[in-house]
Amino acid sequence: DGGITQSPKYLFRKEGQNVTLSCEQNLNHDAMYWYRQDPGQGLRLIYYSQIVNDFQKGDIAEGYSVSREKKESFPLTVTSAQKNPTAFYLCASSGTAMNTEAFFGQGTRLTVV
Amino acid sequence: GDSVTQMEGPVTLSEEAFLTINCTYTATGYPSLFWYVQYPGEGLQLLLKATKADDKGSNKGFEATYRKETTSFHLEKGSVQVSDSAVYFCALIPNQAGTALIFGKGTTLSVSS
């Protein structure tokens, strides 16, 4: 089955530790995205990538980093510089044609204690 | 910049009631418009979309019409079911290459039997 896989579904980390969230897609999509979801805030764009080895900051990139070494993979690292990292993180992918919709993974809930 | 505003919830309805969730947008040019649905603990699923003015998107009994003159894309369903209980997000993507979906804050729908 084609789709987007995020792992793990739940992740707990101690404050001050970096943590990497995994996102893999087998839809042959060129574009991939990371969003953060907080209650009442909707989805806010962290980073996105339109092609391998290239990515752009979204609206809330501070405290996060990404890499895009392979078309299928777009991992997100939440660094210790992120002041409030506890949230639900959603990865998505899409084709690069204009007006195309994005497909989402099941999300990773990160809790920092 | 481009933005999406949707009615705040929660929206609470009885089964078989009529549903409207309002969505308006601000954008330059002619964006594509989307409704996504999120069930508890899951990622987002595309519900319907419209890519140009006067287009009507429809799926599973839900409909929305792209109204350029009022910059709106209201979601409607004639008879809701308990299984429709979820969070609904209105979104747009600008009509230019290399951009990402912009979301509203989401509207929680609760349907009781």
Side-chain angles (χ1 to χ4, degrees):
Chain A
D1 280 337
I4 302 174
T5 302
Q6 290 187 242
S7 60
K9 190 168 177 64
Y10 299 97
L11 189 54
F12 295 87
R13 278 294 182 269
K14 290 186 177 179
E15 195 171 336
Q17 291 182 333
N18 292 355
V19 59
T20 298
L21 282 59
S22 170
C23 179
E24 304 276 334
Q25 56 100 358
N26 61 4
L27 298 169
N28 199 33
H29 284 162
D30 285 311
M32 296 187 74
Y33 313 85
W34 276 105
Y35 289 89
R36 170 180 171 140
Q37 184 177 16
D38 296 285
Q41 294 288 323
L43 275 72
R44 293 181 290 169
L45 183 66
I46 305 173
Y47 269 98
Y48 63 108
S49 168
Q50 298 287 318
I51 197 168
V52 173
N53 292 323
D54 188 39
F55 47 82
Q56 289 78 41
K57 293 182 179 179
D59 300 319
I60 56 164
E62 185 175 350
Y64 300 97
S65 66
V66 293
S67 63
R68 187 85 187 278
E69 297 177 1
K70 298 186 300 182
K71 185 176 183 177
E72 307 79 34
S73 178
F74 191 41
L76 173 74
T77 297
V78 184
T79 75
S80 57
Q82 168 49 234
K83 291 183 170 47
N84 186 18
T86 294
F88 190 52
Y89 291 88
L90 287 159
C91 179
S93 71
S94 73
T96 48
M98 285 193 290
N99 307 324
T100 188
E101 66 267 28
F103 296 82
F104 282 80
Q106 292 297 294
T108 292
R109 183 164 300 281
L110 172 65
T111 302
V112 175
V113 296
Chain B
D2 296 357
S3 65
V4 175
T5 302
Q6 60 182 106
M7 64 186 285
E8 297 201 9
V11 174
T12 303
L13 296 173
S14 297
E15 208 165 21
E16 300 183 4
F18 184 86
L19 169 70
T20 300
I21 300 178
N22 290 337
C23 171
T24 57
Y25 67 90
T26 301
T28 54
Y30 298 90
S32 290
L33 302 174
F34 305 84
W35 277 100
Y36 280 83
V37 60
Q38 183 181 36
Y39 299 101
E42 298 186 6
L44 275 66
Q45 302 174 25
L46 178 67
L47 183 58
L48 53 84
K49 72 175 187 180
T51 58
K52 61 183 187 295
D54 299 325
D55 267 2
K56 177 187 282 189
S58 61
N59 186 26
K60 300 181 182 179
F62 291 90
E63 294 183 339
T65 301
Y66 189 142
R67 301 285 188 200
K68 182 70 176 171
E69 64 277 11
T70 54
T71 61
S72 65
F73 193 54
H74 304 321
L75 182 69
E76 296 182 336
K77 187 176 186 182
S79 176
V80 294
Q81 305 300 312
V82 172
S83 57
D84 293 328
S85 298
V87 182
Y88 292 81
F89 290 93
C90 185
L92 71 82
I93 191 162
N95 190 24
Q96 59 187 78
T99 56
L101 279 164
I102 298 167
F103 286 87
K105 293 189 176 182
T107 302
T108 299
L109 170 65
S110 178
V111 180
S112 58
S113 58

